Amino acid sequence: MDRHLASAGSRGELGRLLQAVLTSRGQANAVFDILAVLQSEDPEDIQEGVRTCSRLFGTLLEREELFVGSLPREDGVLAGSQGATHKYKVWMRHRYHSCCNRLEELLTHPSFQVKELALKTLMKFVQLEGAKPLEKPQWESHYLFPRTLFRAVVGGLLTPEVDHSLLISQFCEYLEYDDIRYHTMQAATSTVAQATSQQSEVSPTFWNNAFMLLSVVNLPLQEHDLTKFYVKHTQTSDKWKVIHLKEHRKAFQEIWLGFLKHKLPLSLYKKVLVAMHDSILPHLAQPTLMIDFLTSACDVGGAISLLALNGLFILIHKHNLEYPDFYQKLYGLLDPSIFHVKYRARFFHLADLFLSSSHLPAYLVAAFAKRLARLALTAPPEALLMVLPFICNLLRRHPACRVMVHRPQGIELDADPYDPVEKDPARSHALESCLWELQTLQQHYHPEVSRAAGVINQVLSVPEVSIAPLLELTAYEIFEQDLKKKAPGSVPLEFIPSKGLLGRQDHLCTQFFTLT
Amino acid sequence: MGKAKRAGARRQVHKASAGAFGGPAKTNPNPFEVKVNRQKFQILGRKTRHDVGLPGVSRARAIRKRTQTLLKEYKERNKSNVFTDKRFGEYNSNISPEEKMMKRFALEQQRHHEKKNIYNLNEDEELTHYGQSLADIEKHNDIVDSDSDTEERGTLSAELTASHFGGGNASQKEGEDGDKPKSRKELIEELIAKSKQEKRERQAQREDALELTEKLDQDWKEIQTLLSRKPQKSENKEKKEKPQPDAYDLMVRELGFEMKAQPSNRMKTEEELAKEEQERLRKLEAERLRRMLGKDEDENKKKPKHMSADDLNDGFILDKDDRRLLSYKDGKMNIEDVQEEQSEEAGDQENDQKEDEDESDEEEGEDGSRDDTEESDGSDSHSDLESNIESEEENEKPKKEQHPTPGEKLPSDDQKAQRAAGTELPYVFAAPESYEELRSLLSGRSTEEQLLVVERIQKCNHPSLAVGNKAKLEKLFGFLLQYVGDLATESTPDLKTIDKLVVQLYNLCQMFPESASDSIKFVLRDAMHEIEEMIETKGRALFPGLDVLIYLKITGLLFPTSDFWHPVVTPALMCMSQMLTKCPVLSLQDVIKGLFVCCLFLEYVSLSRRFIPELLNFLLGILYIAIPNTKSQGSTLVYPFRALGKNSELLVVSDKADMATWRRGSLSLHWASRLSTMTATEANHRRLSCLASCLALLKHCVLMYNALPSFHAIIGPHRALAEHLVDCGLPQDLQELSRSILSEIEIQKQHYRPLICEKSKPVPLKLFTPRLVKVLEFGRKQGSTKEEQERKRLIHKHKREFKGAVREIRKDNQFLARMQLSEIMERDAERKRKVKQLFNSLATQEGEWKALKRRKFKK
């Protein structure tokens, strides 16, 4: 209660001080009292202080009562012989400067409200400063932006200490503005470069913050008028870089390349790769510059190379990248774990895409079909329901591969000619083999799988089966479907009566388990 | 009239023309009579009907026809009586006279045959024998008793013949023999007297015969009563009739009566019973196979169970149930009866037959069928009794397969009686409305008592006793299931009780398959939901508790697991698959649970021999974690197992001493639930036991799947690990086991036969049905609907017919007028002739008179 009263009192006090500073220059020293509140421990007090500062310097900026131009040292000016107004302006500018510094510090405050308020205040200053620049334009229609202040803001966001993901998502709304976006990219580039040059080991929090910030930067796809500015300008000039999408793209490319050339944590790799194909590659000025990153990611193995394939494919497909071992790499990625990883749906979607060309050689498609069939022997039902139509689709697309399910003149063999260890699909002899695995899976315990595998018994129908709805199928969904399915008649019952939990003598459970 | 006549006329014309042109009496028509309708143009496709006409002939025919019909009518126009000749074919000259007679006879018979009254079933034509109605003979109006009589009847007595037909000779003979010849009158009187006497004698004889027959009937009735089904009654009757029966007679009767007792079903021999049971099982097995192949999934299935009359399962419980309730009233006497299953019932039957009889009398009212099945029941109960004696001796030992009566699960009679006297369980339980109720009923009781309680609930609320009982018992299944789950999740799971409760669950499931399957589905959904939730939040799941494993096991016991698709079993399979793929193995408990699931999985598919990838993956993983990482490096592993990490050597045993002391044994389900602290040795022993089970399961898999086309591709990784296992320094037992697996794999030679698609029928070429367009025909109305056309056609036809009828009528009138005219002319001519005649006669008269007069004058 006391504290509340105190805070209420301080609020009144602050209001009074604000009034005093704004009304007469004589009472300007009250600014120190206001700035002192910012150092307070209590978050609410700090918030009050920030609000007061915001009002105070906002008004001063609007009134242009701050010194314009490169700031001289405070001591020198105060001791000098310039006019009182000049002295006041310089002094006030210094106070403004220290206020901004404090606000930047507050960006790392533990309380989110404080952080948010500090950010908002800083952005308000950015806007006001942009409108009434604190530096003199060097030539006519010179583009002025409070770069120093803004860089400080971005630098505050990209701290190595605190995870700023929430704050960055708040920052998103400013990124709607074209100039803010442009300058964010520039400021971030320099911040990243600075951070990595200073220390050899950078904390993962920094990378996370940087990635968060980068991933929310969304460039427009078409070049229309980039005139949605946060800082209001009376007139725009065609010479300004910020107007052109090309410059934006350059900045975008610069920041991503700068970001990706460093050694990133593994989880971040995955996130970057997931976003690569639709939010990074289309916006780059020169997408081919990503080749190095993608090829190295592709060599990492496992899920990462799987994800890198998507970006590579776009480069191959749209930007004429020559990548000789692409299919061999893809072939190498097929191992039993693909049915269990989180990116299963994505992988098979891509694989479907990669193998959709009808110009692929038959041996390659055959190798893929055979490999997938082999892997299907270890797959759970939900994956089987997807991969079996997938294999059948491959056979449908490539009639030359149909010998794998229909070889009327074939002779009986002693061993499967397919070599599962061979890394090169061309030498795997898959085309000489048959898909006996599918025949095996006709014996699968799940009726749907058995039915799906039974398709090869007949001549394959011409239209392909769309696997899109099957990609996201989970075991739980299958289970629910099975439960909901109604039996046509009554439920069949076991006719041999049970006499105990473990069943009869010849049951397996009785052989291996006891109840005692 | 005109129309009909015209049609007839046309037919006649055809016939006549046929006769005229094609008939044998081909008369060349007079060329002057032939009129040719010449056509101007020859038109293809048009039929010309009236190109040649015979106007003279047809006119003559028309006139003839009219004279036959119209003229007749005209002539008879003022006559009221008509003569109709109904003789068949009288005027038909085509039928020969013989034929005519035959047909007339047939008609007569038919007319005779027609029933006058449809309800008179017996009114048939009268059958005769020698001219006498057979019906009369059958009625014995004129009794012909003995053969001699008929003979007599057939051949008349010589005397009579002689007297009637002999003429005078006979009398003369007699006259010669006798003293004096009798007069004719005397002779006749004598004859009459004789015949009368004869008649009287015959009458007496007939009466005798009648009496004899009556007596015979009575005797038969007596025997009949002896033969009848109700011995008791007949005996009583006899006693009433004969108050003091001879002891010997009595004995004879009794013996006879016993011999001729009511025929019932023969007591079946042991073999027959076995055969019947076998037949039933065979039938069910065939059904199961059909479902396993899943070929007619959509076809309507038969009723789940066919119960033969001798079945011990369901119907029998029904009988017994009713009875037990009755015996409640008797009190303590029947405690055993209450507690025991049907086998005990048999014992009672033998012990106190009287009571049984009384009861059966009572029962007859309730259950008529019982009487019939008594015999077979008896035989069953005997065998059950025997088995019961066995079970007394060795309580825990499972019984023969033949008799699924759960007699063994209960302690012997004596113990039972003692306990019943001691604990005083109430006999009537209300069905629990909620799970808590059931729990409160069961908690704190021993296993046997719990069983008893459940059994009693079941019996007190049998569906045949009250309307709402079915729903109550259906709920009971769900509660019991929950109770089993609770028992399994306790810190020390009461598996013994679960083991016994399974039987109750099975029985309830047999009674209410639908609700039971719903309950099982519910618990499975719960389990799956739990796993799914864990996966969503943590990315991986923990192995579920022992309760879920037991639910799965129970599912396998209640439902046929070999079906291609089954509403309960298929989801259960999915559930197990999820456990094996989504739950990483973190501890020894997990290994045991996983192995139990594997075991269940194999058991589910033991008949259908279906392929389970998850199972093999899991076994591979278990083998992997049993081998030190250094050796097992490089082998392929499937999620949830990881090649490296904390649990990648979970089952590795390095202590040589523990290996030496380990003895192979089965795994206890308790190990799966209890998080007990155990010594290192114990843990090592358990590890080795797990590995042994795993290897045994793997061997089972190898044996089961060796026929699969890609067997070697499937088993390859296992084989590699098993090879490592052999030189891992494991106990002898395990090494031998892995060696035998390897040899099994080696033996299996794979033949890769190339795949061939089934030949499908060639797709027929697309055939287009031709478009039918009506040929434009001149004079026909085009472009209108079918109904319109039909209407127009009918209008046209009507018009034509109308015209034709008018023409006919006109012609009829003309004909009539002509006839009238000719009549009038005839009449006039007659009159003229008569007048002329009169005039003539008058003239002659006049002339004569004049001549006379002239003569007179002349004279």
Side-chain angles (χ1 to χ4, degrees):
Chain A
M1 201 63 193
D2 265 2
R3 207 173 141 267
H4 192 71
L5 275 177
S7 72
S10 74
R11 202 172 298 158
E13 176 74 15
L14 279 172
R16 203 179 48 72
L17 287 172
L18 177 65
Q19 281 302 316
V21 175
L22 288 180
T23 43
S24 76
R25 291 184 179 176
Q27 293 178 329
N29 274 337
V31 174
F32 283 113
D33 296 334
I34 297 172
L35 288 180
V37 179
L38 292 182
Q39 306 287 341
S40 150
E41 292 291 314
D42 186 23
E44 284 192 21
D45 284 354
I46 295 177
Q47 281 183 48
E48 262 327 297
V50 172
R51 272 189 213 110
T52 318
C53 285
S54 152
R55 240 172 290 157
L56 169 67
F57 291 108
T59 322
L60 290 177
L61 278 169
E62 268 178 43
R63 284 191 202 163
E64 300 186 40
E65 284 191 13
L66 295 180
F67 179 76
V68 176
S70 57
L71 190 64
R73 284 186 63 79
E74 195 180 356
D75 310 339
V77 174
L78 289 181
S81 57
Q82 280 94 339
T85 321
H86 180 75
K87 276 184 184 172
Y88 170 75
K89 279 189 177 177
V90 170
W91 181 80
M92 210 40 137
R93 175 89 187 271
H94 274 287
R95 298 291 78 72
Y96 172 64
H97 196 68
S98 60
C99 173
C100 286
N101 282 340
R102 178 60 194 157
L103 285 177
E104 280 156 30
E105 282 168 33
L106 285 180
L107 281 179
T108 54
H109 196 272
S111 161
F112 179 68
Q113 274 88 8
V114 175
K115 279 198 275 191
E116 194 183 356
L117 194 63
L119 182 67
K120 276 185 177 161
T121 313
L122 281 169
M123 289 312 286
K124 185 185 168 190
F125 288 165
V126 167
Q127 191 175 25
L128 290 171
E129 216 179 296
K132 305 271 165 60
L134 291 179
E135 51 191 319
K136 287 177 185 140
Q138 282 158 2
W139 58 83
E140 194 62 26
S141 73
H142 182 205
Y143 177 71
L144 288 173
F145 190 84
R147 285 193 178 80
T148 4
L149 180 62
F150 192 69
R151 184 168 299 161
V153 174
V154 172
L157 286 176
L158 299 181
T159 51
E161 291 94 23
V162 194
D163 187 9
H164 268 163
S165 47
L166 266 178
L167 200 60
I168 287 169
S169 59
Q170 286 288 323
F171 188 67
C172 263
E173 56 182 283
Y174 300 107
L175 286 172
E176 297 280 303
Y177 301 101
D178 295 322
D179 52 346
I180 296 287
R181 194 191 311 125
Y182 182 68
H183 289 289
T184 307
M185 289 190 285
Q186 281 191 330
T189 312
S190 63
T191 315
V192 169
Q194 205 181 351
T196 47
S197 64
Q198 280 171 4
Q199 318 145 305
S200 56
E201 198 72 15
V202 186
S203 75
T205 326
F206 175 77
W207 292 123
N208 268 332
N209 285 335
F211 176 72
M212 269 303 290
L213 188 63
L214 288 182
S215 61
V216 292
V217 173
N218 280 319
L219 289 192
L221 273 174
Q222 272 123 25
E223 182 162 12
H224 46 279
D225 42 347
L226 294 176
T227 49
K228 198 184 172 196
F229 285 165
Y230 182 63
V231 176
K232 298 285 177 282
H233 294 280
T234 45
Q235 55 178 16
T236 55
S237 161
D238 208 28
K239 286 170 188 165
W240 294 355
K241 279 185 175 178
V242 74
I243 296 281
H244 301 293
L245 184 65
K246 210 171 82 183
E247 295 301 323
H248 280 257
R249 285 197 169 157
K250 257 184 201 163
F252 188 77
Q253 178 177 325
E254 204 174 329
I255 170 125
W256 271 113
L257 288 178
F259 180 67
L260 291 179
K261 74 183 175 199
H262 303 291
K263 190 166 164 51
L264 301 176
L266 217 59
S267 60
L268 214 55
Y269 248 123
K270 283 186 189 167
K271 281 183 191 166
V272 171
L273 287 169
V274 165
M276 179 65 84
H277 70 285
D278 59 16
S279 57
I280 301 176
L281 277 181
H283 301 304
L284 293 181
Q286 279 179 288
T288 39
L289 290 178
M290 279 292 171
I291 287 174
D292 287 339
F293 172 71
L294 287 175
T295 44
S296 63
C298 202
D299 293 332
V300 171
I304 288 180
S305 38
L306 203 149
L307 292 169
L309 282 177
N310 200 357
L312 269 183
F313 182 74
I314 289 175
L315 291 183
I316 294 168
H317 182 57
K318 299 221 174 105
H319 303 284
N320 283 333
L321 172 69
E322 193 81 9
Y323 195 75
D325 298 335
F326 179 76
Y327 281 102
Q328 198 173 331
K329 269 222 166 93
L330 181 65
Y331 185 71
L333 284 179
L334 297 177
D335 66 358
S337 67
I338 53 164
F339 294 121
H340 300 276
V341 292
K342 214 165 45 175
Y343 303 106
R344 186 188 77 200
R346 193 188 181 88
F347 178 78
F348 277 98
H349 169 72
L350 289 176
D352 194 33
L353 200 66
F354 301 155
L355 294 171
S356 58
S357 164
S358 54
H359 294 316
L360 292 175
Y363 74 85
L364 187 74
V365 177
F368 271 100
K370 182 72 184 174
R371 184 73 168 252
L372 284 172
R374 266 291 159 87
L375 297 181
L377 289 178
T378 64
E382 68 268 21
L384 281 174
L385 282 181
M386 181 264 301
V387 80
L388 290 177
F390 188 93
I391 295 170
C392 290
N393 277 353
L394 286 183
L395 298 181
R396 283 190 187 106
R397 267 175 223 154
H398 301 274
C401 295
R402 290 200 184 168
V403 288
M404 298 179 81
V405 289
H406 181 62
R407 201 189 293 274
Q409 268 89 46
I411 45 161
E412 198 172 304
L413 305 165
D414 286 338
D416 197 343
Y418 173 72
D419 183 5
V421 192
E422 176 62 50
K423 286 205 167 53
D424 186 4
R427 276 177 284 172
S428 64
H429 304 288
L431 212 49
E432 295 155 36
S433 173
C434 280
L435 293 179
W436 289 289
E437 290 82 2
L438 297 195
Q439 205 184 13
T440 305
L441 285 171
Q442 287 170 15
Q443 296 288 315
H444 195 271
Y445 66 89
H446 199 272
E448 295 296 325
V449 174
S450 166
R451 206 169 288 153
V455 169
I456 59 155
N457 283 347
Q458 262 81 39
V459 178
L460 285 172
S461 58
V462 179
E464 287 186 16
V465 179
S466 164
I467 62 159
L470 301 171
L471 283 174
E472 301 279 358
L473 196 67
T474 66
Y476 189 64
E477 279 165 17
I478 298 177
F479 175 79
E480 284 288 325
Q481 277 172 17
D482 284 343
L483 272 190
K484 273 177 199 146
K485 213 158 134 191
K486 282 275 170 274
S490 52
V491 183
L493 293 175
E494 178 68 49
F495 56 84
I496 301 170
S498 60
K499 282 187 298 201
L501 182 60
L502 290 181
R504 292 193 306 278
Q505 206 66 49
D506 55 335
H507 276 189
L508 278 175
C509 283
T510 330
Q511 289 171 24
F512 300 124
F513 289 92
T514 58
L515 293 178
T516 48
Chain B
M1 175 196 146
K3 185 192 165 189
K5 215 178 270 171
R6 199 166 161 266
R10 186 176 289 165
R11 223 175 290 132
Q12 292 243 329
V13 167
H14 272 281
K15 220 178 256 174
S17 65
F21 296 111
K26 192 179 175 184
T27 51
N28 255 344
N30 187 352
F32 293 104
E33 279 188 352
V34 175
K35 178 167 190 302
V36 178
N37 296 319
R38 199 173 60 85
Q39 272 186 311
K40 267 188 179 170
F41 309 106
Q42 198 75 28
I43 295 171
L44 276 178
R46 175 182 282 184
K47 280 175 194 159
T48 51
R49 281 186 298 178
H50 307 295
D51 47 353
V52 175
L54 298 168
V57 172
S58 57
R59 194 176 301 131
R61 202 183 299 127
I63 289 169
R64 199 190 317 136
K65 180 100 186 162
R66 284 199 171 86
T67 38
Q68 275 173 5
T69 55
L70 195 63
L71 190 62
K72 239 176 208 164
E73 270 175 43
Y74 175 72
K75 279 182 176 160
E76 288 169 359
R77 66 189 183 282
N78 293 326
K79 293 194 173 96
S80 58
N81 55 343
V82 185
F83 178 78
T84 46
D85 191 354
K86 283 188 176 172
R87 285 173 298 173
F88 177 81
E90 183 60 21
Y91 302 108
N92 197 343
S93 54
N94 286 346
I95 309 168
S96 67
E98 290 83 30
E99 222 173 314
K100 212 182 277 179
M101 295 314 286
M102 288 285 287
K103 290 221 166 139
R104 280 181 183 174
F105 180 70
L107 269 175
E108 195 186 359
Q109 290 289 318
Q110 209 176 346
R111 210 171 299 135
H112 203 261
H113 207 70
E114 272 164 11
K115 281 171 188 166
K116 275 144 207 153
N117 189 352
I118 54 163
Y119 300 109
N120 195 351
L121 297 170
N122 269 333
E123 198 190 71
D124 259 331
E125 63 175 323
E126 222 176 346
L127 296 174
T128 55
H129 180 68
Y130 286 114
Q132 268 188 319
S133 162
L134 274 180
D136 285 350
I137 293 172
E138 270 173 11
K139 275 178 207 159
H140 299 286
N141 282 344
D142 185 25
I143 289 174
V144 187
D145 266 339
S146 60
D147 290 357
S148 59
D149 246 14
T150 53
E151 255 171 51
E152 229 174 331
R153 269 188 82 83
T155 57
L156 295 168
S157 63
E159 258 177 274
L160 201 71
T161 343
S163 61
H164 279 229
F165 307 107
N169 280 353
S171 58
Q172 272 174 8
K173 237 184 209 171
E174 225 163 319
E176 279 165 14
D177 288 342
D179 298 337
K180 48 181 175 176
K182 284 168 190 169
S183 72
R184 169 92 183 161
K185 204 180 177 186
E186 271 176 342
L187 263 175
I188 286 174
E189 272 172 3
E190 205 178 328
L191 204 74
I192 289 170
K194 227 177 196 174
S195 70
K196 269 185 182 170
Q197 194 191 348
E198 227 168 309
K199 214 175 192 176
R200 227 173 289 130
E201 270 172 18
R202 230 182 286 150
Q203 212 163 358
Q205 212 174 350
R206 194 192 307 153
E207 270 165 17
D208 276 359
L210 264 174
E211 206 174 319
L212 260 170
T213 322
E214 233 163 70
K215 201 185 167 198
L216 219 112
D217 275 357
Q218 214 163 6
D219 282 357
W220 164 244
K221 264 177 202 164
E222 278 168 19
I223 297 170
Q224 209 176 17
T225 50
L226 292 184
L227 285 172
S228 76
R229 300 179 60 170
K230 303 279 177 191
Q232 201 79 30
K233 268 190 201 167
S234 64
E235 226 168 346
N236 289 343
K237 216 187 236 175
E238 209 157 35
K239 270 175 193 168
K240 276 173 205 165
E241 281 170 8
K242 294 174 189 172
Q244 285 165 321
D246 192 25
Y248 172 75
D249 279 352
L250 208 72
M251 180 70 93
V252 167
R253 287 256 161 73
E254 260 176 24
L255 284 175
F257 156 47
E258 256 178 39
M259 292 279 282
K260 285 165 189 168
Q262 168 226 353
S264 75
N265 287 341
R266 189 167 51 91
M267 202 163 103
K268 277 166 184 153
T269 61
E270 199 75 358
E271 292 116 56
E272 273 174 330
L273 276 176
K275 203 174 161 193
E276 216 163 81
E277 177 70 11
Q278 199 183 358
E279 184 65 19
R280 186 181 73 89
L281 288 178
R282 198 185 55 73
K283 222 172 178 180
L284 289 167
E285 179 68 17
E287 185 100 327
R288 188 191 66 74
L289 271 176
R290 192 177 57 76
R291 289 196 310 257
M292 181 168 101
L293 295 173
K295 276 181 182 150
D296 46 357
E297 236 195 321
D298 299 326
E299 255 178 49
N300 255 345
K301 282 167 190 167
K302 271 169 76 181
K303 287 267 178 187
K305 277 241 141 176
H306 166 257
M307 294 285 179
S308 78
D310 294 289
D311 200 3
L312 294 173
N313 284 334
D314 233 7
F316 193 72
I317 287 170
L318 223 156
D319 275 359
K320 186 195 62 182
D321 238 343
D322 295 345
R323 189 166 151 177
R324 212 209 65 240
L325 266 185
L326 277 174
S327 63
Y328 271 148
K329 293 161 195 164
D330 296 354
K332 283 238 159 144
M333 188 73 193
N334 283 355
I335 290 170
E336 287 161 43
D337 208 355
V338 173
Q339 289 155 356
E340 301 292 354
E341 295 275 88
Q342 64 233 42
S343 58
E344 257 60 32
E345 220 175 296
D348 276 351
Q349 273 180 4
E350 286 215 343
N351 289 340
D352 31 27
Q353 283 230 332
K354 271 198 177 176
E355 194 190 311
D356 203 42
E357 272 172 20
D358 290 351
E359 265 185 17
S360 69
D361 277 356
E362 281 176 320
E363 270 174 14
E364 266 181 12
E366 302 166 4
D367 194 359
S369 66
R370 183 166 175 86
D371 228 348
D372 299 341
T373 53
E374 190 102 63
E375 206 70 41
S376 47
D377 279 358
S379 71
D380 267 352
S381 57
H382 280 299
S383 50
D384 284 342
L385 199 71
E386 281 167 21
S387 62
N388 203 32
I389 291 161
E390 274 177 21
S391 69
E392 274 177 18
E393 289 166 5
E394 28 188 309
N395 238 338
E396 288 304 312
K397 201 175 172 184
K399 265 198 313 177
K400 289 183 284 176
E401 291 287 326
Q402 288 289 333
H403 303 286
T405 349
E408 43 104 359
K409 69 176 186 179
L410 293 163
S412 62
D413 297 4
D414 301 15
Q415 288 174 346
K416 204 75 205 174
Q418 282 170 8
R419 191 167 302 136
T423 53
E424 288 282 334
L425 271 177
Y427 295 114
V428 180
F429 287 95
E433 288 298 323
S434 66
Y435 171 61
E436 282 69 34
E437 234 173 276
L438 179 77
R439 203 177 163 77
S440 65
L441 278 178
L442 295 181
S443 59
R445 296 193 195 276
S446 70
T447 305
E448 282 78 18
E449 280 174 347
Q450 286 184 20
L451 273 184
L452 212 57
V453 169
V454 173
E455 211 171 292
R456 281 179 188 177
I457 292 174
Q458 231 172 303
K459 282 171 184 172
C460 294
N461 296 286
H462 196 272
S464 61
L465 296 179
V467 180
N469 280 352
K470 189 164 176 273
K472 282 182 192 167
L473 285 188
E474 280 174 359
K475 267 192 233 161
L476 179 67
F477 184 87
F479 298 150
L480 268 184
L481 214 58
Q482 205 177 342
Y483 184 65
V484 164
D486 276 7
L487 285 183
T489 41
E490 276 169 16
S491 55
T492 49
D494 193 356
L495 294 174
K496 278 263 159 56
T497 311
I498 295 175
D499 191 30
K500 304 292 180 207
L501 281 174
V502 163
V503 180
Q504 302 291 337
L505 283 173
Y506 179 82
N507 289 339
L508 279 173
C509 180
Q510 292 289 330
M511 284 161 97
F512 315 108
E514 299 298 330
S515 63
S517 67
D518 284 346
S519 309
I520 297 260
K521 277 184 193 173
F522 184 77
V523 290
L524 287 182
R525 177 175 282 149
D526 258 11
M528 269 303 261
H529 191 73
E530 209 170 296
I531 294 179
E532 183 66 17
E533 233 170 37
M534 258 197 278
I535 291 171
E536 263 176 21
T537 51
K538 285 192 236 162
R540 60 176 194 193
L542 297 174
F543 262 100
L546 192 60
D547 51 340
V548 178
L549 302 187
I550 281 174
Y551 286 147
L552 286 171
K553 176 69 204 170
I554 287 175
T555 309
L557 290 176
L558 298 186
F559 299 103
T561 51
S562 60
D563 289 10
F564 183 68
W565 181 82
H566 190 280
V568 184
V569 174
T570 310
L573 284 169
M574 272 316 285
C575 192
M576 291 194 278
S577 150
Q578 278 288 285
M579 284 180 201
L580 292 187
T581 47
K582 294 281 159 64
C583 306
V585 171
L586 303 175
S587 63
L588 209 50
Q589 275 94 14
D590 288 349
V591 174
I592 292 171
K593 280 178 188 170
L595 283 175
F596 187 70
V597 174
C598 287
C599 203
L600 276 182
F601 232 142
L602 271 181
E603 212 175 276
Y604 270 48
V605 298
S606 58
L607 285 170
S608 49
R609 304 172 80 85
R610 298 195 204 285
F611 174 54
I612 313 163
E614 294 89 338
L615 167 68
L616 289 161
N617 291 346
F618 193 85
L619 292 181
L620 182 69
I622 296 289
L623 284 185
Y624 184 87
I625 59 175
I627 297 173
N629 277 349
T630 45
K631 284 194 180 178
S632 58
Q633 219 39 263
S635 55
T636 49
L637 258 192
V638 185
Y639 189 83
F641 293 95
R642 295 189 189 286
L644 293 167
K646 203 175 74 174
N647 293 313
S648 62
E649 287 185 345
L650 189 68
L651 287 186
V652 175
V653 177
S654 43
D655 195 335
K656 293 282 174 202
D658 288 347
M659 277 198 204
T661 52
W662 174 73
R663 289 285 164 274
R664 196 176 164 184
S666 29
L667 299 166
S668 165
L669 273 183
H670 284 283
W671 295 348
S673 68
R674 205 181 303 152
L675 268 171
S676 59
T677 50
M678 47 189 171
T679 61
T681 314
E682 248 175 29
N684 279 341
H685 283 176
R686 271 185 204 180
R687 282 186 183 124
L688 289 172
S689 296
C690 285
L691 184 57
S693 302
C694 172
L695 284 173
L697 285 174
L698 184 61
K699 190 172 177 187
H700 202 85
C701 287
V702 167
L703 291 176
M704 193 154 88
Y705 294 140
N706 57 16
L708 286 181
S710 46
F711 171 69
H712 281 291
I714 294 166
I715 216 75
H718 302 81
R719 184 181 170 181
L721 284 184
E723 273 164 9
H724 283 304
L725 209 59
V726 169
D727 39 60
C728 230
L730 287 171
Q732 204 61 38
D733 245 7
L734 293 178
Q735 282 196 21
E736 265 172 33
L737 200 53
S738 35
R739 267 197 207 100
S740 73
I741 290 172
L742 284 176
S743 64
E744 281 290 343
I745 297 173
E746 291 294 336
I747 287 170
Q748 192 57 36
K749 274 282 167 280
Q750 196 90 36
H751 293 289
Y752 291 90
R753 193 169 297 126
L755 295 177
I756 292 174
C757 295
E758 279 167 24
K759 264 188 192 148
S760 58
K761 277 185 194 163
V763 182
L765 287 175
K766 267 188 186 166
L767 294 176
F768 297 106
T769 48
R771 185 167 163 219
L772 293 172
V773 181
K774 270 185 192 159
V775 180
L776 281 172
E777 222 175 298
F778 182 72
R780 186 166 284 181
K781 296 279 183 296
Q782 304 288 340
S784 52
T785 60
K786 213 170 182 182
E787 291 84 47
E788 193 77 4
Q789 275 182 357
E790 179 72 11
R791 202 181 118 76
K792 276 182 180 164
R793 197 180 60 77
L794 284 176
I795 288 174
H796 179 67
K797 199 174 175 184
H798 170 256
K799 209 168 161 187
R800 223 170 47 207
E801 291 293 309
F802 186 77
K803 274 183 180 169
V806 166
R807 195 164 54 227
E808 287 292 316
I809 289 169
R810 199 178 291 138
K811 279 186 178 168
D812 280 356
N813 285 342
Q814 282 173 358
F815 177 77
L816 275 181
R818 220 166 32 237
M819 281 300 140
Q820 279 168 348
L821 183 69
S822 69
E823 232 170 57
I824 289 167
M825 298 264 280
E826 214 170 287
R827 228 170 28 230
D828 285 1
E830 182 78 357
R831 206 170 58 96
K832 258 183 190 165
R833 193 182 55 77
K834 279 182 177 168
V835 168
K836 222 176 197 172
Q837 207 178 350
L838 278 177
F839 271 116
N840 266 349
S841 70
L842 282 177
T844 39
Q845 212 173 339
E846 186 75 17
E848 275 176 7
W849 181 73
K850 274 186 175 171
L852 205 66
K853 204 174 157 186
R854 215 176 285 146
R855 233 184 283 162
K856 263 178 190 173
F857 281 120
K858 276 179 181 174
K859 278 171 185 178

